[in-house]
Amino acid sequence: MTVAEEGAAGPLAGVRVLELAGIGPGPFAAMVLGDLGADVVRVDRPGGAGGLRMDPGYDLANRNKRSVLLDLKSEENVGVVLDLVERADILIEGYRPGVTERLGLGPDDCLARNPKLVYGRMTGWGQEGPLAQSAGHDIGYIAVTGALSMIGTIDGPPIAPANLLGDYAGGSLYLVIGVLAALQHARAGGPGQVVDAAIVDGTAHLTSVIHGMMAAGGWRDQRGTNLLDGGSPFYGTYETADGGYMAVGPLERKFYNEFIELLGIADQAPARDDFDSWAELRAAIADRFKQRTREEWTAVFGASDACVAPVLSLREAPAHPQLAARSTFVDHGGITQPAPAPRFSATPGAVRRVPKGPGAETAEVARDWGVTSLLGGNPS
């Protein structure tokens, strides 16, 4: 995949998305829609959305978007947003429950102007419940769903997987699924509707298969004791001679046989099905990996079926031969960044626009969306 020209289209070409600027999962969801070709307009407000501060040019959650700057405390500017709503297919907001209603931009206000609108709401706790009005972040949401309890070693504390599991997997991607499903419904003749995407709901949903395994007796409710959470000696990470790590995952027997053969312990490893010998097997694997560097072990396992891979850093990942061959990362606007995903044979997504500061494209949006009120709605 190469970086497409500005006018390139994706599968969502022609879909208009209005994003009320926030932080975290809402902006990422809107970025995904933009990567897929949607025309995303972000409504920024004076002073920004709070949270993490960075140069707007590096905020990749705002790539493939255009920005207008409006003070939503102004009744006139709320009217301008409603003019945009009238022309939008999807709206995304990530405020606490009730905030947009107080602004005059709640679902009832917006659907009155545009009955076909898909109104996407992104929150951590959801629109109702005892914690709905409480502050929170990724780590708390994944904690109460049980997901965090599975991550870490048996003798250590739970380990937060950055904010990937809650914010982006349980939040952003479920919001994207929801608004696209609702858009399909609206375009098939149904009404517009509200999509309530709560991070706790999405993260809990991600654990569905684990709950099934636990009910069947195939998963213990204790981290570090199961096949896929590091409890197995042939599914985990091992340190190398130079302080690097290799990820090991040959679950199937034929892959495991190739693994111990290439590792050089086939003649000494205890039987993998002997659970009482797993500690001995883990020690044998760990000892062997410590005898060579990460680069040397990477060469040993190469393109084998042993299911072993080097643990790369974020800066190292783009140069991995498989990722480089697929152009999984692209260079655009002076930043190496992940390319849009997934891929489409007829309507590929692309990085078309670099992230820009608040209000940078107001005149352009006013022209393209036909909202002349936008030109008089910016704060001085």
Side-chain angles (χ1 to χ4, degrees):
M1 180 187 298
T2 59
V3 177
E5 297 299 323
E6 177 66 29
L12 295 183
V15 174
R16 286 180 170 175
V17 178
L18 188 64
E19 175 197 352
L20 303 185
I23 60 172
F28 188 82
M31 183 207 80
V32 172
L33 297 172
D35 284 355
L36 299 180
D39 180 5
V40 181
V41 170
R42 186 178 80 252
V43 179
D44 283 302
R45 61 182 188 267
L52 300 178
R53 303 289 183 176
M54 68 168 69
D55 183 327
Y58 291 95
D59 189 354
L60 293 180
N62 288 329
R63 74 184 188 189
N64 287 338
K65 301 178 184 179
R66 297 185 288 182
S67 170
V68 300
L69 184 63
L70 294 168
D71 183 355
L72 300 185
K73 296 179 181 178
S74 159
E75 184 175 343
E76 178 184 357
N77 287 342
V78 168
V80 174
V81 175
L82 288 173
D83 289 342
L84 291 166
V85 165
E86 194 170 328
R87 293 157 175 80
D89 298 294
I90 297 169
L91 179 146
I92 288 176
E93 64 95 357
Y95 303 142
R96 293 195 201 193
V99 170
T100 57
E101 284 86 349
R102 291 192 291 273
L103 290 171
L105 293 171
D108 291 344
D109 305 296
C110 292
L111 286 165
R113 288 289 292 268
N114 182 355
K116 288 289 187 180
L117 181 71
V118 173
Y119 194 105
R121 315 198 80 166
M122 182 77 261
T123 61
W125 303 114
Q127 295 298 311
E128 69 282 315
L131 294 178
Q133 292 295 334
S134 300
H137 282 294
D138 177 293
I139 193 168
Y141 307 138
I142 67 174
V144 302
T145 60
L148 181 58
S149 74
M150 297 188 293
I151 306 171
T153 61
I154 187 173
D155 55 353
I159 298 174
N163 66 330
L164 301 178
L165 178 54
D167 279 354
Y168 300 137
S172 303
L173 298 187
Y174 276 86
L175 179 60
V176 169
I177 293 169
V179 298
L180 292 182
L183 179 63
Q184 165 64 20
H185 177 73
R187 291 191 165 182
Q193 61 182 303
V194 177
V195 177
D196 175 5
I199 295 173
V200 289
D201 294 348
T203 305
H205 192 256
L206 289 169
T207 67
S208 297
V209 173
I210 302 297
H211 276 277
M213 295 172 65
M214 190 164 57
W219 189 277
R220 295 180 62 192
D221 197 16
Q222 180 184 8
R223 68 178 165 277
T225 62
N226 299 286
L227 186 64
L228 301 177
D229 65 357
S232 162
F234 44 89
Y235 200 87
T237 58
Y238 290 91
E239 188 176 4
T240 58
D242 57 344
Y245 285 87
M246 300 295 291
V248 172
L251 296 175
E252 295 82 356
R253 187 172 297 279
K254 63 179 179 179
F255 301 151
Y256 175 80
N257 290 339
E258 185 168 354
F259 163 64
I260 59 174
E261 185 67 37
L262 290 174
L263 189 63
I265 63 170
D267 58 345
Q268 66 185 78
R272 65 174 243 161
D273 294 335
D274 181 4
F275 297 152
D276 292 336
S277 297
W278 270 15
E280 181 184 350
L281 177 57
R282 189 187 305 277
I285 295 173
D287 180 68
R288 183 66 177 137
F289 269 118
K290 288 283 287 185
Q291 295 177 26
R292 295 187 183 182
T293 65
R294 189 188 70 176
E295 182 177 356
E296 289 173 329
W297 283 120
T298 300
V300 168
F301 289 102
S304 73
D305 282 342
C307 303
V308 177
V311 178
L312 302 181
S313 72
L314 292 175
R315 293 189 184 278
E316 292 174 319
H320 185 276
Q322 178 66 20
L323 306 188
R326 287 180 56 82
S327 297
T328 298
F329 290 82
V330 296
D331 293 312
H332 189 71
I335 302 176
T336 300
Q337 56 194 280
R343 304 181 185 209
F344 298 81
S345 61
T347 55
V351 180
R352 306 180 309 280
R353 288 177 173 268
V354 299
K356 294 183 180 179
E361 297 100 344
T362 299
E364 187 180 307
V365 172
R367 179 197 69 212
D368 293 348
W369 283 41
V371 180
T372 57
S373 60
L374 188 57
L375 296 176
N378 284 303
S380 58

